[in-house]
Amino acid sequence: MDKIVVEGGPALRGEVQVSGAKNAGLPVLAATLLAEGEHVVTNLPDLADVRTMGRLLAHLGCEVGRAAAGGDARAAVLRVPALLRPEAPYELVKTMRASVLVLGPLLARFGQARVSLPGGCAIGARPIDQHLKALAAMGAEIAIDHGYVNARVPGGRLRGTDFVFDVQTVTGTENALMAAALAEGRTTLRNCAREPEVADLARALGAMGARIEGAGRTEIQVDGVERLGALHHAVIADRIEAGTLLVAGALTGGDVLVRGADAAHLSALIEKLREAGAHVEAEAGGVRVRGNGPARPIQLRTAPHPGFPTDMQAQMMVLLAVGAGSSVVTETIFENRYMHVLELRRLGADVTVDGKTAVVKGVPKLSGAPVMASDLRASAALVLAGLVASGTTEVQRVYHLDRGYERLEEKLSALGARIRRVKA
């Protein structure tokens, strides 16, 4: 098992390329199940979750290759046959919640699916009830037994419906969107998630021949078609990786250009970084951040897009932990999203949690220590904390980090960080 060792101190400077978005690539890979043929998905990050999705698609009966013609290591070629095995087993699904995204495509194309209930990060309850309600509204009969979702369509084809999500859900919106693409008639989905990854999936489906209007808004209309064609799609840049790198630049008082970052996808984070005193500007080809001393105190509240992303809360807390004055962070998305706080305290941070609210009192410096990652974004936050902690910080259980960041330590090292990966 690996760990990451960080020697704090240097200000980060230079340029770094952001990877493709895992949370955009996974639903696009699942969408290839909707149509027979050869599909090409480019700008995929080389991550554990992407490899898991590839193994799942291969289990279903697809041929999955990681490199396309021309040797593009960030591309996948998927050959989807006329018939598939419509079952996603626990052994593959347990490690990655996004595996549930195969449910909608399998049900829409084959009229049946058996998918294990998903796993993933231990950051709180993330039920799939909204997925199942939307599919049931389209005519699916659904039962859960022995840890599996068993779904079938009595008439063989889903039908259009008017469905309102009880809460905004990214993967729920995506599952319903893929299912509706092959449903009979018009489907109107309301209270949809507005995340850029949802809009990217809609663009991919549109390239396959789907008829979708409104992606990126709370109401989406889909006119179902009888069949879809092969896909060739480049996934969008990872806004959370880009945000993490921007915070790292501001945190260390550096000057960092994150190439490929889309400022439109980062508006809430950019606003808070500026409020905290950092200089952030969109440039041709990316977004640049310049640190400007200890962060000023701010109030931060997570919310669905276009609000401040919960996936950036832990990283932003590190910036505030070595800031001036007291800041208030409110987490509204996941109930267990403060699991990084205890580890930050080990490094000397002054953070008090009361329910959904955390009060962060800035301290002059952090002190390096061994820490343990509890989830994906917590692990990134602990790496960032190590960048400004005196002495050595050892971040253990970095397999969490590898689920969502493509060689983060190499990118930070290229910017001047003293960081390395070693065997624990």
Side-chain angles (χ1 to χ4, degrees):
M1 187 179 297
D2 292 352
K3 64 180 178 181
I4 288 180
V5 180
V6 190
E7 301 286 342
L12 303 186
R13 300 187 184 280
E15 300 181 3
V16 61
Q17 179 68 41
V18 66
S19 298
K22 176 196 75 160
N23 289 341
L26 295 178
V28 170
L29 288 172
T32 63
L33 296 171
L34 289 165
E36 180 184 358
E38 183 174 285
H39 306 263
V40 180
V41 183
T42 62
N43 200 34
L44 280 171
D46 184 17
L47 294 173
D49 279 7
V50 175
R51 292 191 292 273
T52 297
M53 181 62 84
R55 288 194 298 272
L56 176 55
L57 294 177
H59 172 84
L60 296 174
C62 304
E63 294 182 26
V64 182
R66 194 66 175 91
D72 185 354
R74 295 293 177 268
V77 176
L78 304 103
R79 295 177 179 87
V80 180
L83 296 176
L84 290 171
R85 179 190 303 115
E87 178 173 346
Y90 172 73
E91 289 72 22
L92 288 171
V93 175
K94 66 180 179 181
T95 60
M96 184 182 68
R97 185 176 185 271
S99 301
V100 76
L101 287 167
V102 303
L103 177 60
L106 289 175
L107 195 58
R109 186 168 164 213
F110 299 103
Q112 61 178 320
R114 176 174 164 82
V115 177
S116 173
L117 291 169
C121 282
I123 56 173
R126 300 206 281 182
I128 62 168
D129 62 304
Q130 296 302 301
H131 304 235
L132 304 185
K133 286 182 178 180
L135 294 172
M138 296 181 203
E141 293 182 351
I142 297 172
I144 298 177
D145 63 87
H146 303 292
Y148 277 79
V149 176
N150 294 290
R152 60 183 293 271
V153 183
R157 186 180 180 190
L158 295 170
R159 60 177 183 270
T161 189
D162 192 319
F163 180 78
V164 182
F165 290 100
D166 296 329
V167 295
Q168 288 189 359
T169 160
V170 174
T171 51
T173 300
E174 290 168 343
N175 239 334
L177 195 59
M178 290 186 284
L182 287 179
E184 184 178 1
R186 171 169 289 187
T187 298
T188 301
L189 302 172
R190 307 180 193 273
N191 196 29
C192 296
R194 300 169 60 189
E195 273 70 5
E197 294 79 12
V198 175
D200 194 50
L201 172 62
R203 282 191 292 273
L205 291 171
M208 297 173 74
R211 299 167 61 189
I212 301 170
E213 293 184 3
R217 302 197 295 267
T218 56
E219 182 174 313
I220 302 175
Q221 287 189 338
V222 186
D223 288 315
V225 297
E226 289 191 6
R227 63 181 56 85
L228 295 170
L231 167 70
H232 195 301
H233 181 76
V235 301
I236 57 173
D238 190 327
R239 61 193 173 98
I240 303 302
E241 184 198 60
T244 300
L245 293 167
L246 290 173
V247 170
L251 174 69
T252 62
D255 182 348
V256 173
L257 173 62
V258 182
R259 290 206 168 275
D262 189 334
H265 296 168
L266 295 162
S267 56
L269 172 65
I270 289 172
E271 177 184 344
K272 287 301 177 182
L273 283 173
R274 289 172 175 165
E275 190 179 331
H279 298 292
V280 188
E281 299 296 336
E283 296 188 5
V287 179
R288 182 181 295 275
V289 64
R290 296 182 178 89
N292 188 32
R296 295 194 292 258
I298 64 171
Q299 293 197 6
L300 187 155
R301 183 182 184 89
T302 64
H305 191 79
F308 191 92
T310 181
D311 281 352
M312 283 303 306
Q313 178 256 107
Q315 301 92 307
M316 196 70 178
M317 185 179 285
V318 177
L319 179 71
L320 303 176
V322 290
S326 296
S327 297
V328 178
V329 176
T330 303
E331 173 59 55
T332 71
I333 308 298
F334 296 123
E335 66 273 20
N336 292 340
R337 205 84 205 242
Y338 287 135
M339 295 172 71
H340 52 281
V341 169
L342 289 176
E343 299 302 295
L344 290 178
R345 286 176 183 164
R346 285 178 50 78
L347 300 176
D350 186 348
V351 184
T352 303
V353 175
D354 183 8
K356 296 181 178 181
T357 302
V359 177
V360 186
K361 296 180 180 179
V363 298
K365 66 176 182 177
L366 300 176
S367 179
V371 290
M372 186 172 295
S374 57
D375 60 73
L376 170 54
R377 305 307 171 185
S379 59
L382 295 175
V383 170
L384 295 192
L387 296 176
V388 291
S390 61
T392 302
T393 299
E394 295 185 357
V395 183
Q396 302 177 35
R397 295 172 66 179
V398 295
Y399 57 84
H400 289 295
L401 187 78
D402 295 338
R403 287 187 52 240
Y405 291 90
E406 187 177 29
R407 292 182 285 278
L408 179 63
E409 73 279 4
E410 294 180 13
K411 294 187 178 185
L412 292 173
S413 178
L415 295 171
R418 296 194 293 257
I419 183 172
R420 66 189 189 278
R421 179 184 289 256
V422 299
K423 294 294 182 183

